Amino acid sequence: MKKKPYKIWENYLGLYTLVLREQKRFTSVWTQTLLAPLVTVVLFLSIFSVILSSRVIGTANIPYVIFLTPGILTMVILQNSFANTSSSILIAKVQGNIVDTLLAPLGAVEIVLGYMIGGVLRGLLVAFAIVITIFPFLGIVPEKPLFFIIFILLASIELSLLGILAGILSQKFDHMQALTNFIVTPLSFLSGTFYSIKSLPGFFSDIASLNPIFFLIDGVRYGALGFSEGDLFYNLVWSVVLCFILFFICAYWFSTGYKLKT
């Protein structure tokens, strides 16, 4: 039986239950899902602050560690949001209990929302932990808090949806590892996380500026430091558009059972 892809609010309780299940999946192992990313950020910043402490970025003369912090924050949000949804769906498929979700009285849009909100919650909790512990230590106060929150939310949504697609496409953990290694990781590391894209030669700078992960990192960096290397409006619009496209594909695949029923 096909899911109903566009009736969203048929089952409030079912949607809430799915979100609660996804939330409990990562909070029950919070040392791995919430504490570990915080330690990773501290290690990154500690290493780079020692090696490149005297370097400054751009005409604004931003210290390198300050420039780096919003980028690493965004990268960690992306990784955790992606990991939450992709692992949830893939493990359910491997264990054979994905059918429990598919047979529940939930429409395709409700299922996507449930998984997505779970991934967003994990991304936001990681972001909150980093902002309240590391930002004060470095003396960073978000210059544009509204943009800071909007782009963090977009980053969590976008990678949660991408994680859903990866979970649906993967039939085993090797497939997921391949998608992570050859798509997600390169996009993250080649997006201006650790460097200014303006420092690249012209052609490569233009290519980097089209990276959808760069849109998110540049937006978070603008919100945190008031410094942006791209067109903020362009970044915002295309990030929102991409989220809608990913959501539509996810809902369509759940409605048809693509790679979910075998």
Side-chain angles (χ1 to χ4, degrees):
M1 184 176 69
K2 291 185 177 181
K3 292 290 181 183
K4 302 174 184 177
Y6 302 116
K7 293 184 179 180
I8 301 175
W9 303 119
E10 292 180 334
N11 188 348
Y12 289 97
L13 181 60
L15 175 59
Y16 170 76
T17 303
L18 180 56
V19 171
L20 189 62
R21 186 192 74 179
E22 292 302 298
Q23 174 260 310
K24 287 185 175 180
R25 280 188 68 253
F26 69 83
T27 53
S28 62
V29 287
W30 64 272
T31 54
Q32 300 174 36
T33 57
L34 301 177
L35 181 60
L38 181 60
V39 173
T40 300
V41 172
V42 171
L43 289 174
F44 266 120
L45 293 177
S46 299
I47 293 169
F48 282 107
S49 65
V50 171
I51 297 174
L52 298 167
S53 58
S54 61
R55 184 179 175 184
V56 295
I57 300 292
T59 56
N61 290 326
I62 299 174
Y64 181 70
V65 174
I66 302 299
F67 172 86
L68 183 66
T69 303
I72 291 183
L73 166 66
T74 311
M75 185 181 71
V76 170
I77 293 170
L78 300 177
Q79 290 174 344
N80 281 271
S81 296
F82 178 87
N84 200 74
T85 52
S86 60
S87 63
S88 180
I89 294 175
L90 180 57
I91 290 172
K93 289 170 65 177
V94 170
Q95 293 179 344
N97 57 34
I98 188 68
V99 67
D100 296 336
T101 303
L102 296 175
L103 291 178
L106 292 167
V109 170
E110 290 168 326
I111 294 177
V112 174
L113 278 174
Y115 280 115
M116 184 194 79
I117 294 172
V120 169
L121 286 175
R122 178 169 166 181
L124 293 181
L125 285 174
V126 169
F128 179 73
I130 294 171
V131 168
I132 66 171
T133 56
I134 295 177
F135 273 43
F137 181 77
L138 295 175
I140 300 176
V141 177
E143 296 277 346
K144 311 288 183 182
L146 180 60
F147 283 100
F148 187 65
I149 293 170
I150 288 174
F151 275 98
I152 282 178
L153 188 59
L154 283 173
S156 300
I157 292 172
E158 189 171 314
L159 267 292
S160 294
L161 292 171
L162 190 60
I164 293 173
L165 293 184
I168 294 173
L169 287 172
S170 302
Q171 296 300 318
K172 52 185 180 179
F173 290 101
D174 289 346
H175 296 163
M176 178 62 67
Q177 198 63 40
L179 289 172
T180 302
N181 289 340
F182 295 111
I183 297 178
V184 178
T185 300
L187 285 175
S188 298
F189 278 88
L190 300 175
S191 58
T193 302
F194 300 100
Y195 55 87
S196 166
I197 66 167
K198 300 297 184 183
S199 64
L200 299 174
F203 173 76
F204 294 102
S205 178
D206 292 339
I207 294 298
S209 67
L210 298 176
N211 183 343
I213 304 300
F214 167 74
F215 301 160
L216 301 168
I217 289 176
D218 199 45
V220 173
R221 186 170 283 136
Y222 176 78
L225 308 177
F227 171 79
S228 174
E229 296 186 298
D231 185 320
L232 193 68
F233 178 75
Y234 180 90
N235 294 348
L236 179 61
V237 170
W238 278 107
S239 295
V240 171
V241 168
L242 186 55
C243 286
F244 275 106
I245 292 172
L246 291 173
F247 191 95
F248 176 81
I249 297 172
C250 291
Y252 179 73
W253 282 0
F254 266 107
S255 70
T256 60
Y258 177 68
K259 288 186 176 291
L260 291 167
K261 299 180 179 179
T262 58

